[in-house]
Amino acid sequence: MSTLHMVNKSPFERGAMQSCLEHALEGDGVLLFEDGVYGAVKGSAVTGLIENKAGSVKVYVLGPDLAARGIAGGRLIEGITVVDYPGFVDLVTAHKGTQSWL
Amino acid sequence: MAYTVNGNTVEHDEEGYLTDLNEWSEDIALEIAKAQNLEMNEERWEVVNFLRNYYDEYQVAPAIRVLTKALAKTMGPEKGNNKYLYELFPYGPAKQACMIAGLPKPTGCV
Amino acid sequence: MSQVKKFLYVNRKAPYGTIYALESLEVVLIGAAFDQDVSLAFIDDGVFQLAKGQDTKGLGVKNFSPTYRALGDYGVTKLYVEKEALAERGLSEDDLMPVTYEDENDGFAEKPSLIFVDRAEMARVMAEQDVILSF
């Protein structure tokens, strides 16, 4: 059964996103929100962490947090899905459980 | 605590600043001015509107020194000085004009 | 009147996840009243504070990014931005909002406030200061 992993810290400041991705199992979901959304941008020093998991885990990012930080949709790594608040709730209910990476 | 304008109540804090600046209207400005014992005239509206435009653009109420400098530049030195502004707003342009403009208390204003 | 000192505010945090960025900006605005030689440095995640196109309506918090553009009115005209910090985050200089000031000593000519420096230059900027405030 799958887990939804939730990351809300900048990947440039802490290792939460890296540790999360390294522990996520095939079929799990990873939701980036708050400062975690900086991890979703392509062409950065940490882009490889998510790209290495392509096809194994599904990565989601919270749209309102992207907009607040001025990140346009075109700058996201391929394959990442933008969700809104109701979408966030749907993700939680669609997984067996959630795990926060603080 | 609230102002009452045309039957509607608009919340303010203990000093008189609007709780939600989106609730501002010219009628509310007149009501706040009345509470400050000030009558709105063309000169006072000019300052209040300037403050509202500044806040709209920069999301901050300007410090008094910034306000006088900016007024001096756009409206001339006879309006961009402390004496002129204190005559219009005796308890302090930052305090009274910002309050009438519906803005938060200026950062750094004590 | 005491001697003018060089103050540097070092910004290392992204804008909305923590309160540091907004607190720094407010202290800069208050401190500007003291007529010192004030500069700002943006390193690490601090460069995210200057990203253009910030829209916080969906979060219900205040978008304070336009206030950086008011710093020139407060006499704060030197915003040092580290090039390596931008590159590591997939940002270019064009991804930042323009910040300018009007030079009173040059007929109010509009000039850029953002100064892009590499890490070694940033280290020198920090070493030149009398007072460093960290956020």
Side-chain angles (χ1 to χ4, degrees):
Chain A
M1 293 298 280
S2 69
T3 298
L4 179 67
H5 301 273
M6 305 198 292
V7 178
N8 72 338
K9 298 295 190 295
S10 164
F12 304 102
E13 193 176 66
R14 300 196 206 187
M17 188 182 85
Q18 177 168 3
S19 191
C20 164
L21 287 165
E22 288 172 358
H23 290 88
L25 298 176
E26 184 154 2
D28 282 353
V30 173
L31 174 73
L32 306 175
F33 68 112
E34 296 175 3
D35 283 348
V37 302
Y38 290 120
V41 174
K42 64 185 170 193
S44 85
V46 300
T47 301
L49 298 176
I50 286 178
E51 287 173 345
N52 289 343
K53 284 288 197 167
S56 169
V57 302
K58 188 90 188 78
V59 179
Y60 306 90
V61 62
L62 193 60
D65 281 323
L66 286 175
R69 291 160 180 78
I71 303 169
R75 289 174 54 207
L76 300 183
I77 297 165
E78 293 294 316
I80 290 185
T81 305
V82 179
V83 298
D84 55 13
Y85 288 113
F88 188 160
V89 176
D90 291 342
L91 280 177
V92 172
T93 59
H95 289 79
K96 177 175 162 282
T98 61
Q99 181 172 355
S100 288
W101 297 76
L102 300 175
Chain B
M1 285 172 281
Y3 298 107
T4 305
V5 180
N6 307 330
N8 296 322
T9 56
V10 181
E11 293 284 318
H12 64 76
D13 69 8
E14 59 204 9
E15 292 180 83
Y17 292 90
L18 289 192
T19 309
D20 179 1
L21 67 104
N22 294 313
E23 291 190 296
W24 186 89
S25 68
E26 291 196 355
D27 285 340
I28 288 164
L30 292 171
E31 191 63 31
I32 303 172
K34 203 163 78 184
Q36 293 288 318
N37 291 317
L38 291 175
E39 197 169 325
M40 290 305 284
N41 57 21
E42 201 179 318
E43 288 76 23
R44 291 196 175 102
W45 276 120
E46 200 170 52
V47 176
V48 165
N49 287 330
F50 183 91
L51 285 171
R52 287 190 59 80
N53 289 336
Y54 195 93
Y55 192 88
D56 197 44
E57 183 164 1
Y58 298 116
Q59 297 298 303
V60 69
I64 177 72
R65 170 175 93 92
V66 173
L67 174 65
T68 50
K69 211 158 68 172
L71 284 174
K73 189 170 166 250
T74 53
M75 297 172 191
E78 68 280 2
K79 291 186 175 177
N81 64 73
N82 277 333
K83 182 171 175 291
Y84 175 78
L85 289 170
Y86 273 91
E87 275 165 10
L88 291 179
F89 303 99
Y91 285 93
K95 179 175 150 57
Q96 288 185 307
C98 283
M99 193 184 285
I100 294 166
L103 306 184
K105 197 170 169 174
T107 302
C109 173
V110 285
Chain C
M1 185 71 197
S2 57
Q3 209 183 339
V4 171
K5 286 188 173 161
K6 289 173 78 72
F7 281 72
L8 181 71
Y9 293 82
V10 178
N11 297 285
R12 296 185 49 250
K13 298 279 197 278
Y16 302 108
T18 65
I19 196 71
Y20 288 95
L22 178 56
E23 291 282 315
S24 172
L25 189 53
E26 294 202 332
V27 175
V28 170
L29 293 175
I30 295 166
F34 296 99
D35 282 327
Q36 301 292 315
D37 179 6
V38 174
S39 308
L40 273 57
F42 295 88
I43 62 176
D44 299 332
D45 278 358
V47 297
F48 288 134
Q49 296 175 25
L50 299 172
K52 68 163 71 151
Q54 298 178 37
D55 176 0
T56 60
K57 284 197 278 295
L59 294 194
V61 301
K62 179 169 161 170
N63 174 7
F64 54 87
S65 66
T67 306
Y68 293 97
R69 294 190 290 103
L71 287 172
D73 294 344
Y74 286 76
V76 177
T77 61
K78 292 172 289 187
L79 278 62
Y80 295 96
V81 181
E82 189 178 278
K83 292 176 185 173
E84 286 89 339
L86 289 175
E88 286 162 6
R89 287 160 183 77
L91 293 169
S92 70
E93 296 180 11
D94 290 339
D95 292 317
L96 304 189
M97 58 188 171
V99 182
T100 59
Y101 70 100
E102 293 177 342
D103 190 344
E104 287 174 46
N105 302 318
D106 190 8
F108 292 103
E110 192 154 309
K111 298 184 177 179
S113 297
L114 300 187
I115 305 163
F116 296 95
V117 297
D118 63 27
R119 197 157 275 164
E121 291 172 288
M122 188 63 92
R124 281 196 291 276
V125 168
M126 293 194 279
E128 283 169 2
Q129 305 298 322
D130 296 307
V131 181
I132 290 192
L133 296 125
S134 302
F135 289 91

